[in-house]
Amino acid sequence: MNPDGAGRRPPTAQQFVLAELRRAITTGRLRPGAPIRQDALAEELQVSRVPLREALKTLEGEGLVTHQAHKGYCVATLSLDDLREVYRIRELLEEEAVRRAVARLTDADLDRLEAAQDDVERAAAAGDVLAMATANRLFHMTVFDCAGMPRLARLIRTLWDATDAYRSMYYGDGGNRERVVKEHRATLDALRRRAADEAVATLNVHRDHAVTKLESLLPASP
């Protein structure tokens, strides 16, 4: 028995397909608006159409893909208004989460944040978009989970899911990766000092930079 796999159940076909589709969207291999060719994907992933359809239904429920009659599934697109609304709601919810988290942070929590930040910086330096997106998400969600409000954390995760398809566009630029690293360091410094107002302000700037960059990539609302 492999000790590294002890206690782990292998993923079901649907879980496997879901993970692969998320990866394709997060890395930008499947771009916003791109059609999802089910036959080609089923062949590539060596699965039947059944788990593929179930995974697509899950992603549709999360707003990551859309379905149109006679056209099939495609990666969801956002308008400027969609993006601004998502980030505005994030701002409101994440401020509450950060303030709650600051009051509860332990040294162990800070150690986990440090480790996540190390991963962010390694991925940024290597230009590894998927690894950076994964580490970035872990960094932020660790903060939000420290708030001790699991329903709030789930709502925030749903909002993050809605913009996953665009994150690779942002991280694809070296200047943006450097900015993320610096803003994370400033946030981590504020959290170490339990400076809630400063942490909130730093994260607000962090989000605003992302919105400004992404606005140029999105179509204006009709």
Side-chain angles (χ1 to χ4, degrees):
M1 179 181 293
N2 182 356
D4 290 337
R8 295 182 185 175
R9 296 178 59 186
T12 64
Q14 181 184 342
Q15 290 169 335
F16 166 71
V17 174
L18 188 59
E20 290 301 309
L21 285 173
R22 285 189 193 282
R23 182 191 303 272
I25 291 171
T26 301
T27 59
R29 186 164 73 84
L30 286 175
R31 309 284 286 183
I36 296 174
R37 311 294 185 192
Q38 292 190 49
D39 288 338
L41 269 174
E43 183 177 351
E44 176 187 340
L45 300 175
Q46 297 184 331
V47 296
S48 73
R49 292 282 295 273
V50 175
L52 182 56
R53 282 196 298 267
E54 291 304 313
L56 287 169
K57 287 178 183 177
T58 298
L59 293 175
E60 183 181 17
E62 296 174 0
L64 286 180
V65 303
T66 58
H67 183 270
Q68 291 184 335
H70 310 300
K71 290 186 177 181
Y73 286 96
C74 65
V75 181
T77 58
L78 292 178
S79 68
L80 282 175
D81 283 349
D82 291 331
L83 180 79
R84 289 166 179 159
E85 182 179 1
V86 167
Y87 272 80
R88 175 56 179 153
I89 299 170
R90 273 187 53 190
E91 179 183 349
L92 296 171
L93 297 184
E94 290 178 14
E95 175 173 353
E96 178 67 14
V98 170
R99 291 189 183 281
R100 295 268 186 164
V102 166
R104 296 164 49 95
L105 280 174
T106 66
D107 289 343
D109 294 329
L110 289 168
D111 287 343
R112 287 188 293 130
L113 284 167
E114 290 267 13
Q117 176 60 9
D118 287 343
D119 289 342
V120 169
E121 297 194 18
R122 277 193 294 271
D128 188 333
V129 171
L130 176 60
M132 185 167 180
T134 301
N136 175 74
R137 187 175 180 117
L138 179 60
F139 177 88
H140 288 274
M141 296 306 159
T142 298
V143 177
F144 305 144
D145 286 340
C146 287
M149 301 177 72
R151 290 179 185 271
L152 177 60
R154 284 198 296 272
L155 286 172
I156 294 172
R157 281 182 169 84
T158 299
L159 292 167
W160 275 62
D161 289 343
T163 56
D164 264 350
Y166 293 87
R167 202 151 287 125
S168 63
M169 298 181 182
Y170 186 62
Y171 292 150
D173 179 89
N176 292 339
R177 293 196 299 271
E178 290 178 12
R179 179 179 291 112
V180 167
V181 167
K182 290 177 182 177
E183 290 166 350
H184 276 204
R185 287 176 181 170
T187 300
L188 190 51
D189 178 62
L191 292 173
R192 284 194 200 99
R193 293 183 282 107
R194 274 69 173 182
D197 288 345
E198 188 176 333
V200 167
T202 302
L203 287 171
N204 285 345
V205 170
H206 187 49
R207 276 189 303 272
D208 288 346
H209 279 155
V211 171
T212 299
K213 288 292 184 180
L214 290 174
E215 281 177 341
S216 64
L217 304 171
L218 300 177
S221 301

